[in-house]
Amino acid sequence: MKGTQRPGGHRGRGAGRVLGLLPAMVAAIGLTSTAALAVPNHGATSTGPKPRALSPASAVAAMQPSWNLGNTLDAIPDETSWGNPPVTKALFDTIRAQGFHSVRIPVTWTGHQSPTAPYAIDATFMNRVKQVVDWALSDGLYVVVNVHHDSWQWISTMPTDHDNVLARFDAIWKQVAAEFRDSPQTLLFESINEPQFDDAGDAQGIRYLDELDTAFHGIVRGSGGNNATRLLMLPTLHCNAGQTYMDALVGGMKSLDDPNLVATVHYYGWYPFSVNVAGGTRFDATAQKDMSDTFTGIRDTLVTQGVPVYLGEYGLLQYPDHTHPSRVERGEALKYFEQLGHEAGTAGVTTALWDPFSFLNRDTLRWRDPGLIAQIKSSWTTRSGTASSDRVFVPASSAITAKTLTLNPNGTSFKGLWQGGTRLAAGRDYTVSGNELTLTAAALTRLAGDRAYGTNATVEARFSRGLPWKIYVTTYETPVLSNATGTTGGLSIPARFRGDLLATMEATYADGSNAGQTGWTPYQEFNAAFSPDYPGNALLLTPDFLGALHDGAPATLTFHFWSGATVTYHVTRSGSSVTGTAS
């Protein structure tokens, strides 16, 4: 994936469509091989009894769960260019202690390699990569090394620069294979990240990718040593889990006739939900089906046919991002990660969390959101119950009424509601009818207290297993926006959010057509067209959105909030000037 730079960067183009694992199932259906793939002895030194050998499928299962060292050795131009500190041994100590069994170390070679023959890789950089890899291996972690952003920097030009691209690609792998020839079998090579080819259709792109993979395979195998049987990862085109791409990968693997191959794809969810565009504010039935269908396809096409699968990247394209307001509502993200762990485990897929910097703080080596990572970890082994929302909104001044949420037990059973160590009383504080949980008016009035704007109390819905579902009792009134003037360089609208939270923005012209840079939908992309500034009491319209408005044509904006409230606002662009008017 293209890295999320900080503080002002972005993730780039969406990843290909694609956690827990059932190792026994994977091993039972896995490929057999004479390769000795050692089980890492976590926490042990290199001395001691010889590790037992694993089949390729069992080795990939043993890699579950996995983590990506994103935006680091793949950063452009250097390791710290995208905001992360230099890698230390302590980082891998932390990853191992947190329960991860493998790490993917993306590497971008472009800026550290001569651009012309013999395409020599800078010795200092190669030594640094080797140092980082060896630190991870010494912690008993499996390690994946690849060719990363080179894919879009110059490999993508293969249709017009075929021979030079192939020669340069070959040169990388010849040097990498030689450097790591004697590294243990717990090191894996991945040929290329998210392969893409300029102005090439799928059929042509698949042919180019097959040519690169064939070259990669021949170079590594021919380099001898442990490379003769090392596990090699081959991606689909774009790392997309679409059926056409997976079928092509199966065909390519068969032609190589090598049992020590692993398939790799990526998954970042249903695109509108992953970035919050086109009204994709919730992990709804469409987003859930996209996930289920993707993992069913991976299982049926690859896993059940004996091909081990490593989900080399997963997450949401724009969440979490601690440098910007959250595009994805946290409860909806928790539901996404909870189901993803279940789907991947059922499919028998090993998963590698894409982490550019937003999950683990590389400076403190602590998780930025412990509750989020706890949900991800829990999903590796069990399901957790959730609900239709993690918030109940109550009015600041008018009478409070009962509120109902729909429980999603996910195979668990509901055990009750708690506020801290106090169990709420069924019948008095809440009622349950089927999967409908209703908090009574009396309980909400008590929980809301003095009804100051924002969250006044937190209760937990507990289930028979997994993590509890937190429900935030939140006091609000409909937000108020004021008139504003600005330029196409940006418009800051004074806003009193009054305890509410922004979900999305709809933009249309008087004739009903869509306004803004995302012309295929009236619901614009969160943070790309608009963004809340809660501390600054403002709602921001971006230069991209304002620059895309028709000159002299008033646009009607409808801001949708998580309470269910909507606020209408009007914006008119006149040349480079912009005027905003509250309804």
Side-chain angles (χ1 to χ4, degrees):
M1 154 167 268
K2 286 189 181 180
T4 306
Q5 303 174 34
R6 75 171 150 173
H10 62 282
R11 284 191 187 269
R13 67 171 58 89
R17 289 191 50 203
V18 267
L19 292 143
L21 188 61
L22 302 178
M25 181 182 79
V26 176
I29 63 177
L31 296 171
T32 59
S33 172
T34 58
L37 298 160
V39 181
N41 188 5
H42 299 287
T45 65
S46 59
T47 61
K50 182 179 179 180
R52 65 183 176 88
L54 292 178
S55 70
S58 296
V60 173
M63 294 171 66
Q64 171 67 13
S66 193
W67 178 84
N68 271 274
L69 182 67
N71 281 20
T72 305
L73 295 182
D74 59 314
I76 300 168
D78 297 305
E79 181 176 342
T80 60
S81 295
W82 289 353
N84 283 314
V87 180
T88 63
K89 173 68 162 55
L91 172 62
F92 296 114
D93 296 343
T94 298
I95 290 301
R96 184 193 65 185
Q98 289 293 324
F100 291 90
H101 293 161
S102 60
V103 294
R104 180 173 179 253
I105 301 178
V107 183
T108 300
W109 304 92
T110 303
H112 309 281
Q113 179 192 29
S114 62
T116 57
Y119 306 107
I121 295 172
D122 176 71
T124 300
F125 183 71
M126 180 67 86
N127 290 337
R128 175 58 172 162
V129 173
K130 182 69 161 53
Q131 180 184 47
V132 171
V133 169
D134 286 348
W135 280 338
L137 291 170
S138 71
D139 261 338
L141 296 163
Y142 284 86
V143 176
V144 179
V145 168
N146 73 356
V147 170
H148 204 75
H149 294 307
D150 313 78
S151 62
W152 57 265
Q153 287 190 298
W154 53 271
I155 294 174
S156 62
T157 66
M158 195 170 179
T160 56
D161 194 22
H162 176 277
D163 292 351
N164 289 327
V165 167
L166 185 59
R168 186 173 183 178
F169 180 81
D170 289 355
I172 290 177
W173 279 114
K174 285 176 182 176
Q175 293 170 82
V176 174
E179 183 69 31
F180 293 98
R181 180 179 184 273
D182 298 320
S183 293
Q185 296 274 18
T186 47
L187 172 64
L188 292 77
F189 292 154
E190 174 191 356
S191 64
I192 182 174
N193 171 71
E194 296 184 358
Q196 53 199 270
F197 302 96
D198 299 341
D199 301 318
D202 285 348
Q204 187 181 12
I206 287 168
R207 287 195 299 271
Y208 286 128
L209 176 57
D210 185 65
E211 187 174 3
L212 291 174
D213 281 343
T214 300
F216 159 74
H217 178 266
I219 289 166
V220 175
R221 290 289 180 253
S223 63
N226 285 334
N227 290 341
T229 53
R230 188 179 306 284
L231 285 184
L232 303 181
M233 285 188 182
L234 303 182
T236 57
L237 187 64
H238 310 296
C239 286
N240 188 309
Q243 194 62 48
T244 297
Y245 306 120
M246 291 193 294
D247 287 343
L249 179 59
V250 170
M253 286 182 160
K254 286 180 178 178
S255 68
L256 292 174
D257 191 25
D258 183 339
N260 294 317
L261 300 179
V262 178
T264 184
V265 294
H266 297 171
Y267 185 73
Y268 284 98
W270 176 244
Y271 182 74
F273 173 67
S274 195
V275 303
N276 191 349
V277 71
T281 57
R282 293 187 180 273
F283 184 54
D284 60 11
T286 300
Q288 293 169 33
K289 185 176 186 300
D290 180 83
M291 181 184 287
S292 296
D293 288 352
T294 295
F295 282 100
T296 296
I298 293 171
R299 181 195 65 203
D300 293 348
T301 306
L302 299 168
V303 179
T304 60
Q305 304 306 311
V307 179
V309 178
Y310 179 78
L311 192 71
E313 296 179 15
Y314 77 91
L316 290 166
L317 287 170
Q318 298 293 349
Y319 180 93
D321 178 359
H322 71 281
T323 65
H324 296 89
S326 289
R327 295 186 183 218
V328 179
E329 199 275 331
R330 188 173 182 274
E332 300 303 308
L334 291 173
K335 287 186 275 188
Y336 170 89
F337 284 107
E338 192 282 331
Q339 182 173 323
L340 193 148
H342 168 70
E343 297 287 354
T346 301
V349 173
T350 290
T351 56
L353 180 66
W354 176 255
D355 189 359
F357 54 72
S358 289
F359 288 95
L360 184 69
N361 184 323
R362 306 277 183 84
D363 294 307
T364 65
L365 297 182
R366 294 182 181 275
W367 299 113
R368 296 186 186 278
D369 184 343
L372 175 60
I373 199 67
Q375 181 65 84
I376 291 171
K377 286 184 173 184
S378 179
S379 75
W380 299 337
T381 56
T382 191
R383 297 221 68 177
S384 296
T386 65
S388 54
S389 179
D390 64 345
R391 288 190 182 272
V392 170
F393 285 89
V394 298
S397 54
S398 60
I400 294 176
T401 59
K403 301 292 181 180
T404 298
L405 300 174
T406 301
L407 297 174
N408 307 312
N410 296 325
T412 71
S413 57
F414 176 70
K415 293 299 183 182
L417 288 183
W418 274 259
Q419 183 185 19
T422 302
R423 183 169 186 167
L424 275 63
R428 183 191 69 194
D429 296 324
Y430 68 91
T431 61
V432 178
S433 176
N435 285 332
E436 298 299 302
L437 168 68
T438 300
L439 284 84
T440 65
L444 288 173
T445 299
R446 184 181 75 249
L447 291 167
D450 63 2
R451 290 200 257 180
Y453 290 146
T455 298
N456 302 123
T458 303
V459 297
E460 290 184 347
R462 297 182 184 176
F463 299 84
S464 56
R465 65 179 187 274
L467 298 182
W469 181 255
K470 294 184 183 297
I471 302 169
Y472 303 98
V473 179
T474 305
T475 297
Y476 85 103
E477 287 184 291
T478 300
V480 176
L481 306 182
S482 300
N483 296 345
T485 57
T487 70
T488 50
L491 180 67
S492 179
I493 302 170
R496 287 182 288 153
F497 291 101
R498 305 207 292 183
D500 216 336
L501 299 169
L502 185 62
T504 188
M505 181 189 82
E506 189 177 4
T508 57
Y509 295 113
D511 62 2
S513 61
N514 301 330
Q517 74 267 45
T518 310
W520 53 278
T521 173
Y523 291 93
Q524 299 297 293
E525 184 176 340
F526 201 108
N527 283 346
F530 64 97
S531 188
D533 177 5
Y534 297 113
N537 297 310
L539 208 159
L540 310 177
L541 300 181
T542 69
D544 285 347
F545 173 76
L546 297 171
L549 293 179
H550 298 166
D551 196 48
T556 298
L557 312 183
T558 304
F559 293 99
H560 297 257
F561 293 84
W562 279 104
S563 68
T566 59
V567 177
T568 302
Y569 197 79
H570 303 283
V571 173
T572 303
R573 171 192 168 192
S574 299
S576 61
S577 298
V578 177
T579 301
T581 306
S583 295

